[in-house]
Amino acid sequence: MKTVVISGSPRKTANTQIMMKFVYDYAKSKSQDIKFINLSEGGIDYFSGQNENYSQTTLQAAKDIMDADVWIIGTPIYNSFFSAALKNLFEFVNYKSTAGKTAGLAILASGNIGFIDVQTLLTQLMNYFRVVTNPKAVFMTVDAIKDGQIGENEKTRLKELVDETMLLASRQK
């Protein structure tokens, strides 16, 4: 199965990036055909309409998402919402090319509030793309990441997210 891991924070030193790099490294052991889209690295244009000229980085990211069978998406919570950079990325994705795919969600926040709201919003976005979403999202707070390292309990939960999302995808086929 083709898999894409998306780190949805635009911040250069994002904790979301640390979380999703761990997910990517683990998912590589499960899928040989895997891509990592890290919004912290930039290069994704702002969406300004269908008939515009966009960078190769932007077009490739959209293609990678549409080609993948499994999406593992990580986002921080900003102002009770997922990141605007992640929303912008999905503006480039054609919903006609995404039906039947499977997504898993990992959500990072500074405190224990807002997780369910953001999970609901992301699940609604996935529903728009007709993507089956693993109902068991991973919620993490930033205190689970110390000196660039993720706690063992959180690592276990992230691995389970990958495993369960890929199992769900294999049952969809």
Side-chain angles (χ1 to χ4, degrees), residues 3-74:
T3 304
V4 66
V5 175
I6 303 169
S7 178
S9 174
R11 295 182 179 168
K12 297 294 180 204
T13 58
N15 285 319
T16 304
Q17 180 178 192
I18 294 168
M19 176 177 71
M20 297 314 290
K21 280 185 177 178
F22 174 81
V23 168
Y24 173 71
D25 289 339
Y26 179 71
K28 279 194 303 189
S29 70
K30 304 290 180 181
S31 174
Q32 298 302 329
D33 195 351
I34 187 165
K35 306 282 179 141
F36 185 48
I37 299 171
N38 185 356
L39 298 183
S40 296
E41 294 173 352
I44 304 296
D45 298 316
Y46 293 108
F47 185 80
S48 57
Q50 293 296 334
N51 299 322
E52 300 293 323
N53 292 323
Y54 296 108
S55 71
Q56 187 57 39
T57 301
T58 300
L59 298 175
Q60 187 62 51
K63 182 179 182 330
D64 290 343
I65 292 169
M66 290 184 285
D67 287 349
D69 302 304
V70 178
W71 304 348
I72 309 291
I73 303 167

